[in-house]
Amino acid sequence: MAILTWIPPSPVAVTASWDTQQRPSYNPNAPRKLKPTPNLKPSPPITLPTRTDPSVFDILKRPSQEVTPVKVDLDDTYLGYERWLPTPPKVEKPRSVFSAATLAYIGDCIYELYARRHFLYPPLSIEEYNDRVTSVVRCEAQDALLKELLNDSFLSNTERDVLRWGKNINSAKTRTKKRAGAAVYNRASSLETLIGYLYLTNVNRLEKLMVRLGFSTGASAEMILKEINGAKPVQ
């Protein structure tokens, strides 16, 4: 009978070490430090031209081939056609029905519709359309147009009262309001409130207001009908 005897292994000495200095993790995309090349002349500094954005008044100017505007009776038709704006709901006293923020909401839509129609001719790319329209629908541009409008006696006392009413709209903080400032944002909202108010009460007066701000109406539409569709200009 065989007897098995267990013999313990001899002890093995194990040594360990650790790094006491914290090192950043390895980043394969990190730029490598290159040794400076001797006798290398530094490149001259590059001066970039300063960009100057055109004002909203320059943007709204029509091209040089603008035709002479025609006189149109705004009572029933517009350039011989039915009105191009959607028919507003019949509200005798909008201020008693809607809030200033509601009128500014619909006024913002009407304002942008005028802006898009203004730049419809000559035909442009979609990117150019968006750039031009964005330049005039910004609150800074609306503020500049409103300041110019307030310098004369075009607005009635009622319309100026609507502007003061729309200026006091309490709105949440947005990136646009943070960029332009509360004062500019509120004045732009007051202009949109007035546009919404006139859209519901007096479309003829709204048309005159938008023309006074610099948006084209008769000349632009007649150019499109004449040059693109080959229609005779409206007399």
Side-chain angles (χ1 to χ4, degrees), residues 63-79:
S64 57
Q65 65 267 28
E66 178 67 270
V67 298
T68 304
V70 294
K71 294 182 179 180
V72 181
D73 187 4
L74 298 177
D75 292 337
D76 299 324
T77 60
Y78 182 75
L79 290 176

Side-chain angles (χ1 to χ4, degrees), residues 95 156-167 194:
R95 296 185 61 174
S156 65
N157 293 333
T158 301
E159 293 166 347
R160 291 177 180 269
D161 185 52
V162 173
L163 286 175
R164 288 189 291 268
W165 179 49
K167 188 177 179 180
L194 177 60

Side-chain angles (χ1 to χ4, degrees), residues 173-190:
K173 293 182 179 180
T174 60
R175 287 184 296 180
T176 303
K177 188 174 184 179
K178 184 178 180 180
R179 182 196 73 237
V184 174
Y185 185 86
N186 291 340
R187 286 193 295 267
S189 297
S190 68

Side-chain angles (χ1 to χ4, degrees), residues 140-208:
E140 295 90 344
Q142 293 176 335
D143 178 47
L145 292 175
L146 179 60
K147 288 181 179 179
E148 185 71 15
L149 186 65
L150 292 174
N151 289 334
D152 54 28
S153 58
F154 177 82
L155 296 176
S156 65
N157 293 333
T158 301
E159 293 166 347
R160 291 177 180 269
D161 185 52
V162 173
L163 286 175
R164 288 189 291 268
W165 179 49
K167 188 177 179 180
N168 298 323
I169 296 177
N170 294 325
S171 58
K173 293 182 179 180
T174 60
R175 287 184 296 180
T176 303
K177 188 174 184 179
K178 184 178 180 180
R179 182 196 73 237
V184 174
Y185 185 86
N186 291 340
R187 286 193 295 267
S189 297
S190 68
L191 177 61
E192 294 174 347
T193 303
L194 177 60
I195 293 174
Y197 175 83
L198 292 178
Y199 170 68
L200 296 177
T201 58
N202 193 338
V203 180
N204 292 336
R205 179 62 176 172
L206 170 63
E207 190 83 355
K208 295 178 181 178

Side-chain angles (χ1 to χ4, degrees), residues 27-190:
N27 183 6
N29 298 324
R32 298 180 180 180
K33 294 182 179 179
L34 302 178
K35 295 182 180 180
T37 305
N39 301 328
L40 182 62
K41 296 182 179 180
S43 58
I46 301 176
T47 304
L48 298 177
T50 304
R51 176 182 174 181
T52 303
D53 295 331
S55 66
V56 62
F57 305 101
D58 295 333
I59 297 174
L60 287 175
K61 289 181 180 179
R62 300 300 302 168
S64 57
Q65 65 267 28
E66 178 67 270
V67 298
T68 304
V70 294
K71 294 182 179 180
V72 181
D73 187 4
L74 298 177
D75 292 337
D76 299 324
T77 60
Y78 182 75
L79 290 176
Y81 299 90
E82 295 182 358
R83 292 197 173 277
W84 61 284
L85 286 175
T87 303
K90 296 181 180 180
V91 181
E92 295 182 359
K93 297 180 179 180
R95 296 185 61 174
S96 62
V97 178
F98 303 108
S99 64
T102 303
L103 295 183
Y105 173 76
I106 189 65
D108 175 59
C109 173
I110 299 299
Y111 180 90
E112 183 168 345
L113 182 58
Y114 270 93
R116 294 195 176 202
R117 182 178 180 274
H118 178 85
F119 295 115
L120 188 60
Y121 188 88
L124 303 170
S125 64
I126 298 301
E127 291 76 12
E128 186 67 20
Y129 277 138
N130 290 334
D131 290 342
R132 295 193 180 190
V133 171
T134 302
S135 299
V136 299
V137 300
R138 293 162 58 95
C139 58
E140 295 90 344
Q142 293 176 335
D143 178 47
L145 292 175
L146 179 60
K147 288 181 179 179
E148 185 71 15
L149 186 65
L150 292 174
N151 289 334
D152 54 28
S153 58
F154 177 82
L155 296 176
S156 65
N157 293 333
T158 301
E159 293 166 347
R160 291 177 180 269
D161 185 52
V162 173
L163 286 175
R164 288 189 291 268
W165 179 49
K167 188 177 179 180
N168 298 323
I169 296 177
N170 294 325
S171 58
K173 293 182 179 180
T174 60
R175 287 184 296 180
T176 303
K177 188 174 184 179
K178 184 178 180 180
R179 182 196 73 237
V184 174
Y185 185 86
N186 291 340
R187 286 193 295 267
S189 297
S190 68

